[in-house]
Coordinates of all heavy atoms in Angstrom, one line a residue:
P207 N 43.4 -39.0 26.1 CA 43.1 -39.3 27.5 C 42.0 -40.4 27.6 O 41.1 -40.2 26.7 CB 42.7 -38.0 28.1 CG 42.4 -37.1 26.9 CD 43.1 -37.7 25.7
Y208 N 42.0 -41.4 28.4 CA 41.0 -42.3 28.5 C 39.7 -41.6 28.8 O 38.7 -42.0 28.3 CB 41.3 -43.3 29.7 CG 42.1 -44.5 29.2 CD1 43.3 -44.7 30.0 CD2 41.9 -45.2 28.1 CE1 44.0 -45.7 29.6 CE2 42.6 -46.2 27.6 CZ 43.7 -46.6 28.4 OH 44.5 -47.6 28.0
R209 N 39.8 -40.5 29.5 CA 38.4 -39.9 29.9 C 38.1 -38.9 29.0 O 38.3 -37.8 29.0 CB 38.7 -39.3 31.4 CG 39.0 -40.4 32.3 CD 39.2 -39.6 33.7 NE 39.3 -40.6 34.8 CZ 39.1 -40.5 35.9 NH1 38.9 -39.3 36.3 NH2 39.1 -41.5 36.8
C210 N 37.5 -39.5 27.9 CA 37.0 -38.6 26.8 C 35.8 -39.2 26.2 O 35.8 -40.5 26.0 CB 38.2 -38.6 25.8 SG 37.9 -37.7 24.2
E211 N 34.7 -38.6 26.1 CA 33.5 -39.2 25.7 C 32.9 -38.3 24.8 O 33.0 -37.1 24.5 CB 32.6 -39.3 27.1 CG 31.4 -40.0 27.0 CD 31.6 -41.4 26.5 OE1 31.8 -42.5 27.1 OE2 31.3 -41.7 25.3
V212 N 31.9 -38.9 23.9 CA 31.2 -38.3 23.1 C 29.7 -38.3 23.3 O 29.1 -39.3 23.7 CB 31.3 -39.1 21.6 CG1 30.3 -38.5 20.6 CG2 32.7 -39.0 21.1
V213 N 29.1 -37.1 23.3 CA 27.7 -36.9 23.5 C 27.0 -36.5 22.3 O 27.4 -35.5 21.6 CB 27.5 -36.0 24.7 CG1 26.0 -35.8 24.9 CG2 28.1 -36.5 26.0
I214 N 25.9 -37.1 21.9 CA 25.1 -36.6 20.8 C 24.2 -35.5 21.3 O 23.2 -35.9 22.2 CB 24.4 -37.7 20.1 CG1 25.3 -38.8 19.6 CG2 23.5 -37.1 18.9 CD1 26.4 -38.4 18.6
E215 N 24.3 -34.4 21.0 CA 23.4 -33.3 21.6 C 22.1 -33.2 20.8 O 21.0 -32.9 21.5 CB 24.1 -31.9 21.5 CG 25.5 -31.7 22.0 CD 25.5 -31.7 23.5 OE1 24.5 -31.6 24.2 OE2 26.6 -31.7 24.2
S216 N 22.1 -33.4 19.6 CA 20.9 -33.6 18.9 C 21.0 -34.3 17.6 O 22.0 -34.4 17.0 CB 20.4 -32.0 18.5 OG 20.9 -31.7 17.3
F217 N 19.9 -34.9 17.3 CA 19.8 -35.9 16.1 C 18.5 -35.7 15.5 O 17.5 -36.1 15.9 CB 19.9 -37.3 16.6 CG 20.3 -38.4 15.6 CD1 21.4 -39.1 15.5 CD2 19.3 -38.5 14.5 CE1 21.6 -40.0 14.6 CE2 19.6 -39.6 13.5 CZ 20.8 -40.3 13.6
K218 N 18.6 -35.1 14.3 CA 17.3 -34.8 13.6 C 17.2 -35.3 12.2 O 18.2 -35.3 11.5 CB 17.1 -33.2 13.4 CG 17.0 -32.4 14.8 CD 16.4 -31.1 14.6 CE 16.4 -30.2 15.9 NZ 17.6 -29.2 15.8
E219 N 16.1 -35.9 11.8 CA 16.0 -36.3 10.5 C 15.2 -35.4 9.7 O 14.1 -34.9 10.1 CB 15.2 -37.8 10.4 CG 16.2 -38.8 11.1 CD 15.8 -40.1 10.7 OE1 15.5 -40.5 9.6 OE2 15.6 -40.9 11.6
E220 N 15.8 -34.8 8.7 CA 15.1 -33.8 7.8 C 15.1 -34.5 6.4 O 16.0 -34.4 5.6 CB 15.9 -32.5 7.7 CG 16.0 -31.9 9.1 CD 17.1 -30.7 9.2 OE1 17.6 -30.4 8.1 OE2 17.2 -30.2 10.2
G221 N 14.0 -35.1 6.1 CA 13.8 -35.8 4.9 C 14.8 -36.8 4.9 O 14.9 -37.6 5.9
R222 N 15.7 -36.9 3.8 CA 16.8 -37.9 3.8 C 18.0 -37.6 4.5 O 19.0 -38.3 4.6 CB 17.0 -38.3 2.3 CG 15.8 -39.0 1.6 CD 16.2 -39.2 0.1 NE 17.5 -40.0 0.0 CZ 17.5 -41.3 0.1 NH1 16.4 -42.0 0.3 NH2 18.6 -41.9 0.0
L223 N 18.0 -36.4 5.0 CA 19.3 -35.8 5.6 C 19.2 -36.0 7.2 O 18.1 -35.9 7.9 CB 19.4 -34.4 5.3 CG 20.7 -33.7 6.2 CD1 22.0 -34.0 5.4 CD2 20.5 -32.1 6.3
R224 N 20.3 -36.6 7.8 CA 20.4 -36.6 9.2 C 21.2 -35.5 9.7 O 22.4 -35.5 9.3 CB 20.9 -37.9 9.8 CG 19.8 -39.1 9.6 CD 20.5 -40.5 9.5 NE 19.6 -41.5 9.4 CZ 19.1 -42.1 8.2 NH1 19.5 -41.4 7.2 NH2 18.4 -43.0 8.2
R225 N 20.7 -34.7 10.6 CA 21.5 -33.6 11.2 C 22.0 -33.9 12.5 O 21.0 -34.0 13.5 CB 20.7 -32.4 11.1 CG 21.5 -31.0 11.2 CD 20.6 -29.8 11.2 NE 20.3 -29.5 9.8 CZ 21.0 -28.8 9.0 NH1 22.1 -28.4 9.4 NH2 20.6 -28.7 7.7
I226 N 23.2 -34.0 12.7 CA 23.7 -34.6 14.0 C 24.6 -33.5 14.6 O 25.6 -33.1 14.0 CB 24.5 -35.9 13.8 CG1 23.5 -36.9 13.2 CG2 24.9 -36.5 15.3 CD1 24.1 -38.2 12.7
E227 N 24.4 -33.1 15.9 CA 25.3 -32.3 16.6 C 26.0 -33.1 17.7 O 25.2 -33.7 18.5 CB 24.7 -31.1 17.2 CG 23.9 -30.2 16.2 CD 24.6 -29.2 15.4 OE1 25.9 -29.3 15.7 OE2 24.1 -28.7 14.4
A228 N 27.3 -33.1 17.7 CA 27.9 -34.0 18.7 C 29.0 -33.2 19.6 O 29.5 -32.1 19.1 CB 28.7 -35.1 18.1
T229 N 29.2 -33.5 20.8 CA 30.2 -32.9 21.6 C 31.3 -33.9 22.1 O 30.8 -34.9 22.6 CB 29.5 -32.3 22.8 OG1 28.5 -31.3 22.5 CG2 30.6 -31.5 23.7
I230 N 32.4 -33.6 22.0 CA 33.5 -34.4 22.6 C 33.8 -33.7 23.9 O 34.3 -32.5 23.9 CB 34.8 -34.5 21.8 CG1 34.4 -35.1 20.4 CG2 35.9 -35.2 22.4 CD1 35.5 -34.9 19.3
L231 N 33.5 -34.5 25.0 CA 33.8 -34.0 26.4 C 35.3 -34.4 26.8 O 35.6 -35.5 26.7 CB 32.8 -34.6 27.3 CG 31.4 -34.0 27.4 CD1 30.6 -34.9 28.3 CD2 31.4 -32.6 27.8
I232 N 36.0 -33.4 27.1 CA 37.4 -33.7 27.7 C 37.5 -33.1 29.1 O 36.6 -32.3 29.4 CB 38.4 -33.0 26.7 CG1 38.2 -31.6 26.4 CG2 38.6 -33.9 25.5 CD1 39.3 -30.9 25.7
E233 N 38.5 -33.4 29.7 CA 38.7 -33.0 31.1 C 39.5 -31.8 31.3 O 39.3 -31.2 32.4 CB 39.2 -34.1 31.9 CG 38.2 -35.3 32.2 CD 38.8 -36.3 33.2 OE1 39.6 -36.9 32.9 OE2 38.2 -36.3 34.3
R234 N 40.4 -31.5 30.5 CA 41.3 -30.4 30.8 C 41.5 -29.4 29.5 O 41.4 -30.1 28.4 CB 42.7 -30.9 31.0 CG 42.9 -31.0 32.6 CD 44.2 -31.6 33.1 NE 44.0 -33.0 33.5 CZ 44.6 -34.0 32.9 NH1 45.4 -33.8 31.8 NH2 44.3 -35.2 33.3

Side-chain angles (χ1 to χ4, degrees):
Y208 274 130
R209 296 176 169 203
C210 176
E211 188 57 83
V212 173
V213 176
I214 303 296
E215 306 282 358
S216 86
F217 191 119
K218 294 195 190 109
E219 290 196 50
E220 300 170 0
R222 292 178 54 83
L223 175 79
R224 286 162 180 82
R225 189 177 291 277
I226 305 169
E227 304 282 352
T229 302
I230 297 171
L231 282 175
I232 51 176
E233 283 188 298
R234 265 176 256 117

